Amino acid sequence: MITMAAEFQLDEEQQALVEAVREFTEEVIAPVSARHDREHSFPYEVISQMGEMGLFGLPFPEEYGGQGGDYFHLCLALEEIAKVDQSVAITLEAGVSLGAMPIYRYGTEEQKQAWLPTLTTAEQLAGFGLTESEAGSDAGGTRTKAVLEDGQWVINGTKEFITNSGTDISTLVTVTAVTGEQTREDGSVKKEISTILVPTDTKGFTAEPAYDKVGWNASDTHPLTLKDVRVPEANLLGERGRGYANFLGILDEGRIAIAALATGAAQGCVDQSVRYAKERETFGAPIAKNQAISFKIARMQARAHSARLAYYDAAAKMNAGLPFKTEAAIAKLIAGEAAMDNARDATQVFGGYGFINEFVVSRHYRDSKILEVGEGTTEVQLMLIARSLGLL
């Protein structure tokens, strides 16, 4: 639990986790990040070691192979990793919050026992198939359909931008699908959207060629095609017709994790800029002595600090069982913008070197834009905040 004194403070266990992940990031992740980014290759060796460390099991009970921690522990790990490598951080974030967490929150005991032990150790990865070409922010526009025939769900449709869906260890994708219609109290009809567990080796399931992305090049992202995919009726995840509502809850939690990731990216840009500004000399002095440079970096630090406080606050409310939807949206908004703004300013501090891919800030410049889009765009966060104020 987060301790609140004059400021947010970490307890000994949380601080030990931060230090362990920081050491791992510096010694294991950092040396191979540039290569995996350049080659667009998935860092299997890194993910395997993260699984052995228990990072994929941080917020889950020990009975399912987890570490018995909470969501804040995951956020602390994400912040540290994202300082150096956002691709690895998003693999962890999506593997936990989108892959395993829906099963833990809404699955039957049989489903939990079947899937969580290998997901919490990163022996396998899972994804969540929500987004479609016409159903992103408007998830209610889902067109993928699932029809119940002879005890099996027959699924047809396509999905877009699905993380962790096409690696050699990707074993499961939870897909949203229209399973019927529901009549509202006013007589109008809406789609009944449910979530269904689809193993990746099911006939008719195809992870299409990976996207050629601007950033997050070492993260696995694919469009999916489901053609007459058949899975048992028991693969329904949660209550029929509650798929969309349940996913909104998962997304609220995920926004805190993404905010932590974005905070790490923002702080990573600060750390790199401070180091470079002290070492780089022009006109006989370090550029850190230039007020324009030092003030730019100071503003970057203020952004990272504000983002951290925002996601700490949202995580504290979530762990306390208090409403946190608005706080999660605020954290996602502030942190996403901080990451993008800091990446731009760090590139400016580095000058020409900031445009060279071997430098971490160049990756942050390419990687950070998606933090204002993925798992709820900036505009969606503003809409949620405005609604909380009774404005929409």
Side-chain angles (χ1 to χ4, degrees):
M1 183 175 181
I2 304 172
T3 301
M4 294 184 64
E7 59 181 354
F8 288 109
Q9 297 176 344
L10 303 182
D11 61 30
E12 291 184 7
E13 179 187 3
Q14 293 162 345
Q15 189 59 45
L17 171 64
V18 168
E19 292 172 1
V21 176
R22 183 176 298 158
E23 180 180 357
F24 177 82
T25 299
E26 293 173 352
E27 295 182 359
V28 178
I29 300 177
V32 299
S33 289
R35 174 174 61 83
H36 282 299
D37 177 78
R38 182 175 62 254
E39 297 175 356
H40 292 215
S41 54
F42 189 77
Y44 288 101
E45 75 284 9
V46 172
I47 300 305
S48 176
Q49 292 180 69
M50 288 169 61
E52 293 173 0
M53 285 182 66
L55 299 186
F56 282 80
L58 281 172
F60 301 105
E62 295 180 9
E63 63 186 292
Y64 301 121
Q67 298 298 304
D70 56 33
Y71 217 82
F72 185 61
H73 289 90
L74 170 66
C75 290
L76 293 175
L78 287 170
E79 181 181 347
E80 287 303 313
I81 295 169
K83 291 177 182 178
V84 171
D85 193 322
Q86 291 189 43
S87 287
V88 172
I90 195 59
T91 300
L92 172 61
E93 191 278 334
V96 174
S97 71
L98 298 180
M101 192 59 72
I103 299 173
Y104 176 63
R105 294 288 188 217
Y106 306 115
T108 63
E109 185 60 28
E110 183 179 1
Q111 290 170 339
K112 293 176 185 178
Q113 293 290 350
W115 295 105
L116 289 180
T118 54
L119 297 178
T120 56
T121 55
E123 296 171 61
Q124 298 177 337
L125 290 175
F128 198 102
L130 171 74
T131 305
E132 299 179 8
S133 59
E134 296 185 16
S137 298
D138 177 20
T142 298
R143 291 188 174 184
T144 295
K145 292 184 178 181
V147 178
L148 197 56
E149 292 182 0
D150 300 324
Q152 291 185 318
W153 292 107
V154 182
I155 310 170
N156 285 279
T158 60
K159 298 293 180 179
E160 304 284 344
F161 311 125
I162 311 305
T163 304
N164 293 345
S165 59
T167 73
D168 293 344
I169 56 174
S170 296
T171 187
L172 178 75
V173 174
T174 302
V175 302
T176 52
V178 178
T179 53
E181 293 182 340
Q182 295 176 332
T183 302
R184 298 186 176 95
E185 293 182 0
D186 62 4
S188 62
V189 176
K190 69 172 183 177
K191 295 178 180 177
E192 174 191 85
I193 297 178
S194 305
T195 45
I196 301 172
L197 303 172
V198 180
T200 56
D201 61 357
T202 305
K203 182 180 179 181
F205 177 96
T206 304
E208 303 293 350
Y211 293 102
D212 183 9
K213 296 172 293 186
V214 171
W216 286 3
N217 288 329
S219 166
D220 178 77
T221 319
H222 295 260
L224 306 177
T225 300
L226 299 96
K227 185 176 182 180
D228 292 330
V229 167
R230 291 178 175 269
V231 298
E233 182 178 358
N235 281 29
L236 179 72
L237 181 64
E239 183 181 344
R240 178 170 175 169
R242 292 286 300 171
Y244 180 47
N246 289 347
F247 183 73
L248 291 180
I250 290 294
L251 206 57
D252 287 337
E253 297 178 359
R255 283 174 181 141
I256 303 175
I258 287 291
L261 189 161
T263 299
Q267 188 65 57
C269 287
V270 175
D271 297 345
Q272 292 291 324
S273 295
V274 168
R275 186 179 303 113
Y276 183 78
K278 290 180 178 180
E279 296 174 352
R280 171 66 168 164
E281 292 190 2
T282 59
F283 303 104
I287 63 172
K289 299 302 181 182
N290 185 316
Q291 190 177 77
I293 297 295
S294 62
F295 279 14
K296 187 182 294 291
I297 298 174
R299 191 175 294 279
M300 292 166 61
Q301 177 65 12
R303 294 188 193 115
H305 181 72
S306 298
R308 183 173 300 108
L309 292 180
Y311 95 71
Y312 274 29
D313 177 56
K317 286 183 170 59
M318 176 184 169
N319 282 347
L322 300 172
F324 65 92
K325 186 182 188 72
T326 300
E327 288 77 10
I330 291 172
K332 169 69 164 60
L333 172 70
I334 291 175
E337 291 186 341
M340 190 67 243
D341 289 344
N342 280 13
R344 182 191 63 244
D345 284 350
T347 302
Q348 193 72 17
V349 170
F350 272 69
Y353 290 110
F355 208 61
I356 305 301
N357 280 329
E358 67 184 81
F359 288 85
V360 176
V361 295
S362 73
R363 292 206 303 275
H364 280 311
Y365 189 77
R366 290 183 282 109
D367 289 347
S368 293
K369 180 58 192 174
I370 192 61
L371 294 170
E372 297 181 312
V373 177
E375 293 202 35
T377 63
T378 295
E379 291 74 19
V380 167
Q381 310 316 311
L382 291 169
M383 177 185 68
L384 293 173
I385 297 166
R387 282 179 179 171
S388 74
L389 298 171
L391 299 176
L392 292 175

